[in-house]
Amino acid sequence: DAKGNRKQRPGEQDDKDMYVHVVDRNSEGVFITGCKMHISGAAIEHELVIFPTKAMRKGEEEYAIACSVPANAPGVTMINTTYAPHGKDTRHFPVSAKINSPEAYIVFDKVFVPNDRIFLDGEVEYASTLAYSLGLWERSAGGGYGDRVDRIVGLAALAAEMAGVANETHIHEKLSTLMIFATMCRAGSDAAMHNAVKNEDGNLMPSTLYTSATKYYHAELHDKMIDIVHDIAGTLVVNSPTLADYENPAMKPILDELFQVPGYTTEDRLKLYHYIRDTTADSYGGWSSVTGKQAGGGQYAQRLVTLRNFDLDRAKDMAKRIVGVGGYDAETPFI
Ligand SMILES: Cc1cc2nc3c(=O)[nH]c(=O)nc-3n(C[C@H](O)[C@H](O)[C@H](O)COP(=O)(O)OP(=O)(O)OC[C@H]3O[C@@H](n4cnc5c(N)ncnc54)[C@H](O)[C@@H]3O)c2cc1C
């Protein structure tokens, strides 16, 4: 949703359309108005499944609406954004030119939804269940930090090798920092699945606590890790000649001389630096840096989920036992 002033409830907003809501109804169905924002891939889908973005309270029934709307239903307008490179040599955007998907502002202007396409209509007590289920899976998908993070380590190691500094002490320190980050992200993702819970329908859901904590950890440190990649790869990340320059017969011998290193061609090096630029310092890089922090909820949301799911009573009870307060005799202290 557009959400307006974040501190005001949906019904308190100056403009009622800040959250998608029911504006009219008849015996055949309801009419909805509002805007769902940043919706991944909406313009390439046939059907839009809409549900409340957060818990709704008594009195907010008009906002407790979940339904399915065809993407081309009358009254639906989409405004798309994309990080796909436009009109450029796509070889310099090896990832963003191939892997891109639009995000849409989906505007609903009195869109009619027939009764058989409505899943929730005013039952405020179920609104958060739907929002929670999207958030958990989005965080879990965004937090599938296995090979994705290992690849960042690999890019940095390759850049160090090409610069001839792979065996420098400070490079070892930086690579080990990246490796620890990658290993902790993988451990968090594995723990989320290892501690999965089966819901009433028999579906396995990743652990809420591990999923949110890992997403938070990754988002908090991701940009610092990218700083390390940039430190190792150097200015060539943003200042590499284009592949078209390299293909120019007048420039090729000059660049071959300047870029020569054992084991790799000039083209290998240009491809690596353009890859690092595209994925960490340009189109895809900017998008994924912000998306890693926002999609599935921002850092504050992950902290709230952690506060709600961490077993604080157990932790406090353990503290009381070892200190010997709250009716406990002191146990052998932990070292
Ligand atoms: C690439 C991408 C794809 C996305 N795809 C989808 C999608 O398919 N479907 C979908 O539903 N959403 C999608 N989203 C939206 C995503 O869920 C939101 O961006 C995310 O929940 C954060 O909301 P926001 O951007 O409105 O941040 P904001 O709410 O504007 O946050 C700004 C700041 O305000 C703080 N804040 C917000 N509310 C409060 C409050 N009540 N009290 C105190 N502080 C507050 C936040 O913590 C943050 O610091 C996508 C986002 C991205 C980046």
Side-chain angles (χ1 to χ4, degrees):
D1 291 281
K3 295 187 281 195
N5 183 329
R6 277 26 177 195
K7 294 305 291 174
Q8 290 173 343
R9 300 287 312 167
E12 296 166 357
Q13 302 285 336
D14 293 340
D15 183 337
K16 291 271 216 172
D17 299 342
M18 287 297 108
Y19 289 79
V20 171
H21 62 139
V22 175
V23 291
D24 203 358
R25 66 175 65 237
N26 59 31
S27 60
E28 307 287 308
V30 301
F31 295 82
I32 59 171
T33 290
C35 176
K36 289 290 182 186
M37 283 173 60
H38 319 306
I39 305 305
S40 305
I44 51 174
E45 301 298 338
H46 295 295
E47 202 72 36
L48 308 169
V49 176
I50 295 145
F51 47 83
T53 194
K54 60 182 181 187
M56 295 296 164
R57 298 175 184 164
K58 214 163 177 302
E60 296 173 338
E61 285 75 11
E62 69 191 87
Y63 299 96
I65 178 74
C67 56
S68 181
V69 174
N72 61 351
V76 171
T77 304
M78 287 194 211
I79 303 166
N80 283 294
T81 61
T82 179
Y83 56 84
H86 297 293
K88 296 179 176 165
D89 186 338
T90 54
R91 291 177 300 176
H92 304 134
F93 298 86
V95 173
S96 55
K98 290 188 194 129
I99 303 173
N100 59 67
S101 164
E103 266 91 40
Y105 291 57
I106 312 175
V107 182
F108 301 90
D109 183 13
K110 300 190 194 78
V111 173
F112 178 67
V113 187
N115 287 328
D116 62 358
R117 284 172 164 267
I118 298 173
F119 313 127
L120 184 81
D121 182 11
E123 299 92 342
V124 286
E125 63 273 30
Y126 299 119
S128 65
T129 308
L130 293 169
Y132 164 78
S133 56
L134 170 75
L136 177 67
W137 285 106
E138 179 66 33
R139 284 164 204 159
S140 167
Y145 302 116
D147 289 351
R148 184 144 43 106
V149 190
D150 288 351
R151 277 197 289 272
I152 295 176
V153 184
L155 290 171
L158 263 185
E161 206 177 306
M162 288 184 183
V165 294
N167 292 322
E168 290 298 306
T169 310
H170 77 98
I171 297 291
H172 284 172
E173 283 169 8
K174 286 163 185 162
L175 286 179
S176 61
T177 301
L178 288 174
M179 289 170 191
I180 290 167
F181 171 69
T183 305
M184 293 304 291
C185 288
R186 186 183 286 276
S189 297
D190 286 356
M193 296 315 294
H194 184 74
N195 291 285
V197 284
K198 200 180 255 187
N199 69 13
E200 286 170 15
D201 297 329
N203 295 321
L204 275 178
M205 319 244 299
S207 149
T208 304
L209 177 63
Y210 284 102
T211 298
S212 273
T214 307
K215 180 183 185 293
Y216 180 93
Y217 175 81
H218 175 268
E220 195 69 5
L221 293 180
H222 174 267
D223 290 357
K224 291 193 181 80
M225 298 303 119
I226 297 302
D227 284 349
I228 293 178
V229 177
H230 292 167
D231 175 83
I232 294 176
T235 306
L236 287 170
V237 169
V238 287
N239 260 357
S240 280
T242 65
L243 285 154
D245 283 340
Y246 182 59
E247 285 158 359
N248 182 323
M251 298 189 200
K252 189 171 186 302
I254 302 171
L255 293 175
D256 275 336
E257 185 181 353
L258 296 175
F259 275 75
Q260 59 181 312
V261 291
Y264 295 100
T265 65
T266 304
E267 191 179 349
D268 290 339
R269 298 194 69 191
L270 293 178
K271 280 165 76 175
L272 175 74
Y273 299 127
H274 283 304
Y275 190 99
I276 294 176
R277 194 209 72 255
D278 185 28
T279 55
T280 67
D282 206 332
S283 299
Y284 185 82
W287 177 88
S288 68
S289 170
V290 175
T291 298
K293 296 179 193 88
Q294 297 300 342
Q299 296 297 76
Y300 174 55
Q302 308 317 315
R303 282 179 184 272
L304 286 182
V305 174
T306 303
L307 279 168
R308 280 183 200 138
N309 287 278
F310 185 87
D311 194 346
L312 188 58
D313 288 339
R314 177 175 167 273
K316 277 166 65 181
D317 195 59
M318 285 163 61
K320 284 179 189 168
R321 280 174 187 272
I322 56 168
V323 175
V325 297
Y328 291 112
D329 287 331
E331 289 182 353
T332 309
F334 294 115
I335 298 168

